[in-house]
Amino acid sequence: MTDAPALILENIRKSFGENEVLKGIDLTVAPHEVVCLIGASGSGKSTLLRCTNLVEPLDSGRVVVEGEEITAAGVDADRVRRRIGIVYQSFNLFPHMTVLRNVTLAPREALKMDRKTADEMAISLLQRFGLAGRRDEYPDRLSGGQQQRVAIVRALAMRPSIMLLDEVTSALDPELVAEVLSVIRELAHEGMTMLIATHEMGFARDIADRVCFLEDGRILEQGPPERIFSSPENPRTARFLRRIIEAGRL
Amino acid sequence: MTTRGTGPANDPEPSTPAGSGRGSRVLGNRAVLVSSVSTVAFFAAVALVVALAPGSGLVAERFFSPFHLWQSLRGTPGEPSVLGAFLLNVYIFAISEVLILVFALVIAVVRGIPGPAFFPFRVVAIVYTDVFRGVPLILVLYIIGFGVPGLGIAYFSYLSDVTYGIIALVLVYSAYVAEVYRAGIESVHESQNAAARSLGLSRFQSLRFVVLPQAIRRVIPPLLNDFIGLQKDTALVSVLGSIEAARAAQIYGASQFNYASYVVAALLFVLITIPLARFTDRLIARDKRRRQAGGLA
């Protein structure tokens, strides 16, 4: 199992009506690898992540998680999603539940974990990410950064084998970005396999083992961050990065 | 998505510290004076108009005679007590409300199940709500109350009038309440469902733990509104022969030639709706307070 790639995406295609958003994406992520997806808004990064955990149904293509093809007929998508953690740009915490209940809901209901075990597990996760004091609060009492950290903890509570992060800092005020990025850094150091869509180029350069540049539903270029950011081969990657630098974001 | 900034933590009601909502609504001294004077003046004017009306003496005797108010409330050997009869309204209301809450939720959920396999179920739910919102309650009462017994089916054709009344109320009101539930379900943003499904919860678990609790909280005020209507409409069950408060008042009025009994019945209906309204206010306030104060309530 450890030798199999954590994730294989094969010729992923997806259209919304006439608009083809993903035009055949191939991507393999090794265990413990951190892959960052960069590219302009609308390039298909978010859709790719949503297709990976089948929240958005694919038009065609294959998704293989740890050697198991999850797009095959008869695979229970709910079971698959338990192994793939996803965190969204807009947090999407459950507003009617305390932080603790947000974190324990899925372990208790989907994994049938008993309450005591789930609570202990959630409390130790919240402690690790500096949220222990917030466990009985409701999400709208937390700052955006705290909410996003709770969303990450909520995904981690399912013990996923891979995490998908969909522009998790884009909805945050600038001063709150750092606390969320440091959580992701910590996950990377612990060896969590991650596929990250991000606009934070500096962060991508630091954390990624590999960077993929998406444009118009295709991966145009990929490679180690040092190379992509310093000497991109594709002229469109170069143009995208030049605009980012001009905007002062790198 | 318009989410921007640090989320709702900073923006709602900037000047209201948690828990002080009551104090902030207190009026100033001058405002209290003005509102007292205008209230007194208004009701004095109304009382004057009623008192000066040519038939006011007759009306006072026929509708507000203390003797008849009291006697119709208690009942006499010959006439049923309006209060006693009102217990039947409460009984009908209590049973119907529970059944409606459950049945309407089933209808609303069935109507929302996606997928071609559930098409016939969705059609049944739609036809049901269309029909029972369209037909007047009194006709449904006649059709159920006189039609079903006429069919001569074992058990179902031999129920009490009250039971047929409850069935008719449940059928009609569930159609309304199902629409209220459905509006609530649709008001919960799809991203909530997506978040729940992404965690590996099934469609049903997402509905049960994430979507419905939020939906139901939002529709409590309109639900209450429908239930106040239901409380009043329990009076219509009398067309099947049950002696509930309105019917008892009518019997009293017809034999005593005094209509204080109607006033008594009206007051009883008003009295029972007030606690329900206040209870709902409290539920809403509690929910708001709890979410703003963070688990202290």
Side-chain angles (χ1 to χ4, degrees), chain B residues 4-169:
Chain B
R4 178 68 213 164
T6 59
N10 312 347
D11 49 59
E13 281 133 85
S15 65
T16 312
S20 76
R22 211 159 285 176
S24 67
R25 242 175 272 140
V26 170
L27 302 169
N29 277 344
R30 204 181 115 74
V32 170
L33 187 68
V34 171
S35 67
S36 314
V37 169
S38 75
T39 307
V40 170
F42 173 75
F43 285 106
V46 173
L48 198 66
V49 168
V50 173
L52 292 180
S56 66
L58 194 61
V59 167
E61 170 56 24
R62 285 283 159 82
F63 284 87
F64 297 102
S65 146
F67 170 77
H68 285 290
L69 286 172
W70 178 240
Q71 184 166 272
S72 65
L73 183 75
R74 284 174 46 206
T76 66
E79 295 106 14
S81 149
V82 174
L83 180 60
F86 187 67
L87 294 181
L88 181 60
N89 294 80
V90 174
Y91 169 81
I92 292 171
F93 166 70
I95 306 262
S96 307
E97 179 178 299
V98 173
L99 294 176
I100 289 163
L101 281 172
V102 175
F103 186 49
L105 187 58
V106 172
I107 301 287
V109 166
V110 165
R111 203 170 163 176
I113 301 176
F118 290 96
F119 180 73
F121 296 94
R122 286 198 296 274
V123 168
V124 168
I126 291 168
V127 169
Y128 169 82
T129 43
D130 284 357
V131 167
F132 283 99
R133 279 195 305 168
V135 180
L137 173 59
I138 195 157
L139 295 184
V140 177
L141 276 164
Y142 283 131
I143 292 166
I144 301 284
F146 299 136
V148 177
L151 289 174
I153 312 168
Y155 185 74
F156 288 104
S157 295
Y158 303 97
L159 301 171
S160 69
D161 292 340
V162 172
T163 307
Y164 290 123
I166 288 173
I167 291 171
L169 284 168

Side-chain angles (χ1 to χ4, degrees), chain A residues 78 82 97 105-106 108-112, chain B residues 193 196-197 199-213:
Chain A
D78 294 336
R82 291 171 205 157
M97 295 180 185
L105 176 69
R108 278 175 61 187
E109 302 305 333
L111 301 179
K112 305 296 172 202
Chain B
N193 183 46
R197 302 300 305 279
L199 286 166
L201 295 172
S202 66
R203 192 194 304 282
F204 176 75
Q205 287 171 329
S206 167
L207 193 67
R208 176 176 159 201
F209 295 107
V210 175
V211 177
L212 284 184

